[in-house]
Amino acid sequence: MVGKPPEPEPYVVRVRLPAGERLMPHRHHEDRVYRVISGVFYIGRGDEFDENKLEAYPPGAIVVLPGGTSHFHWAKSGEYVTQVTAIGPISLDYVDSRNDPRKT
């Protein structure tokens, strides 16, 4: 949406996760601010996916996630869209590289 995420500058992107999809535990180097645009954003913190650690955020909610924080997402109740604001370069490292969908 704004900026060049691969560059060392501010950026804003939107992320849509289809209903039922999970993003397994991962980290970002950069601090991130998520704003829930639509749906319910379920996010949990930790190195292992644990449904009991999920917190639900409705549209309009803001979530601040410091860089290096292991976390996971689940579109548990349907599709969601979040807007991510951060300072690049954008990063995404899976805790377990076998869960990285970019490698399949």
Side-chain angles (χ1 to χ4, degrees):
M1 290 183 54
V2 175
K4 297 176 185 168
E7 301 297 324
E9 64 181 50
Y11 70 85
V12 177
V13 296
R14 287 202 175 167
V15 177
R16 180 184 66 83
L17 200 64
E21 289 290 317
R22 295 180 186 199
L23 287 179
M24 300 307 284
H26 61 281
R27 299 179 191 96
H28 308 284
H29 299 261
E30 67 275 18
D31 297 336
R32 290 180 158 209
V33 178
Y34 294 84
R35 182 170 190 272
V36 183
I37 302 299
S38 64
V40 178
F41 180 48
Y42 288 88
I43 183 172
R45 290 168 177 80
D47 286 340
E48 295 182 22
F49 188 96
D50 181 348
E51 184 175 355
N52 295 317
K53 291 183 178 179
L54 290 169
E55 296 180 57
Y57 293 91
I62 302 290
V63 178
V64 176
L65 193 69
T69 304
S70 297
H71 63 288
F72 46 90
H73 311 248
W74 185 10
K76 184 177 177 180
S77 63
E79 175 183 283
Y80 70 76
V81 176
T82 58
Q83 183 167 294
V84 179
T85 303
I87 298 175
I90 195 168
S91 66
L92 174 62
D93 299 319
Y94 280 84
V95 171
D96 182 340
S97 63
R98 295 174 294 181
N99 291 324
D100 189 340
R102 299 170 294 188
K103 295 184 179 184
T104 58

